[in-house]
């Protein structure tokens, strides 16, 4: 059964079909949300925000128009907006609680490279590089590389043109490569690139 058929059934009153949509998209959506939150050290909120995304999608399903976007694109857009809203809320909480020591302090944005190399493998270094990207570049790269969305779908999720998405991805990849060159190239070691 396609997403469109399930959505028609839900709109016709078979609300239990929404569980099927959740089963189809929960893992990918959770991964997307987790990666968006990682740069702010808020990964523990990923499951809650995933659930909130599905709740918002369910409540707004009557507004979904297949002619405008695929269901998955519409769902990723809701997830992205939910995460961005939460990040804004978290920033305002941090600012308003400035010196409250009952709050766990935010981890420093930059971790010394020697400790990262000792504790982590190459995958962790790549994730850290991605997490340092500006939000739109990070979102575009995650949607393309982790969630395998095509350029058109990414453009719809981010509210950009396809050419803007390609540009975002080019800059994101170049930035990640530049960041990783510092970790890979060691003085006196040839041919490590």
């Amino acid at each position: 059964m396609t997403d469109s058929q399930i959505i028609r059934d839900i709109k016709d009153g078979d609300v239990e079909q929404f569980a099927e949509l959740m089963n189809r998209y929960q893992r990918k959506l959770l991964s997307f949300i987790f990666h968006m939150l990682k740069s702010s050290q808020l990964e523990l909120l990923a499951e809650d925000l995933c659930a909130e995304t599905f709740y918002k999608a369910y409540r707004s399903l009557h507004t979904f128009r297949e002619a405008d976007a695929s269901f998955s694109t519409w769902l990723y857009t809701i997830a992205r907006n939910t995460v961005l809203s939460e990040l804004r809320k978290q920033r305002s909480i941090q600012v308003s609680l400035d010196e409250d020591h009952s709050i766990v302090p935010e981890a420093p944005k930059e971790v010394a490279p020697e400790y990262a190399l000792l504790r982590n493998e190459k995958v962790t270094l790549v994730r850290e590089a991605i997490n340092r990207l500006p939000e739109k570049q990070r979102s575009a790269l995650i949607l393309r590389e982790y969630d395998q969305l095509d350029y058109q779908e990414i453009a719809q999720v981010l509210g950009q043109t396809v050419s803007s998405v390609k540009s975002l991805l080019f800059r994101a990849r170049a930035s990640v490569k530049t960041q990783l060159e510092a970790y890979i190239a060691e003085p006196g070691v040839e041919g490590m690139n």
Side-chain angles (χ1 to χ4, degrees), residues 33-42 45-46 49 83 87:
I33 291 170
F34 180 85
H35 284 92
M36 283 193 69
L37 293 170
K38 189 134 176 91
S39 66
S40 301
Q41 290 83 33
L42 296 172
L45 295 176
L49 295 182
V83 170
L87 291 174

Side-chain angles (χ1 to χ4, degrees), residues 113 117 122 125-130 132 170-193:
L117 284 173
K122 184 178 177 182
L125 293 174
V126 171
R127 285 184 182 151
E128 288 174 357
I130 291 170
R132 286 191 286 268
F170 176 81
R171 290 193 313 262
R173 289 176 178 135
S175 178
V176 168
K177 181 181 178 191
T178 301
Q179 291 179 58
L180 293 178
E181 283 174 351
Y183 298 116
I184 295 171
E186 296 178 17
V189 178
E190 299 290 326
M192 288 294 290
N193 296 334

Side-chain angles (χ1 to χ4, degrees), residues 49-64:
L49 295 182
C50 187
E52 185 176 338
T53 297
F54 280 116
Y55 175 74
K56 288 177 178 179
Y58 177 76
R59 300 271 299 161
S60 302
L61 197 58
H62 65 281
T63 66
F64 171 70

Side-chain angles (χ1 to χ4, degrees), residues 14-94:
D14 189 2
V15 294
E16 290 182 16
Q17 286 292 323
F18 194 75
E20 175 60 29
L21 291 175
M22 289 178 68
N23 287 335
R24 288 182 184 187
Y25 293 102
Q26 188 164 13
R27 180 181 269 158
K28 283 186 174 186
L29 202 61
L30 185 59
S31 173
F32 172 69
I33 291 170
F34 180 85
H35 284 92
M36 283 193 69
L37 293 170
K38 189 134 176 91
S39 66
S40 301
Q41 290 83 33
L42 296 172
E43 302 94 329
L44 296 175
L45 295 176
E47 287 186 13
D48 291 342
L49 295 182
C50 187
E52 185 176 338
T53 297
F54 280 116
Y55 175 74
K56 288 177 178 179
Y58 177 76
R59 300 271 299 161
S60 302
L61 197 58
H62 65 281
T63 66
F64 171 70
R65 291 192 325 254
E66 201 169 353
D68 294 339
S70 69
F71 177 74
S72 62
T73 302
W74 183 71
L75 191 60
Y76 276 107
T77 303
I78 293 171
R80 179 178 178 269
N81 291 339
T82 300
V83 170
L84 293 177
S85 176
E86 181 64 28
L87 291 174
R88 282 190 294 274
K89 186 167 65 172
Q90 291 293 329
R91 282 190 206 112
S92 70
I93 289 172
Q94 282 182 339

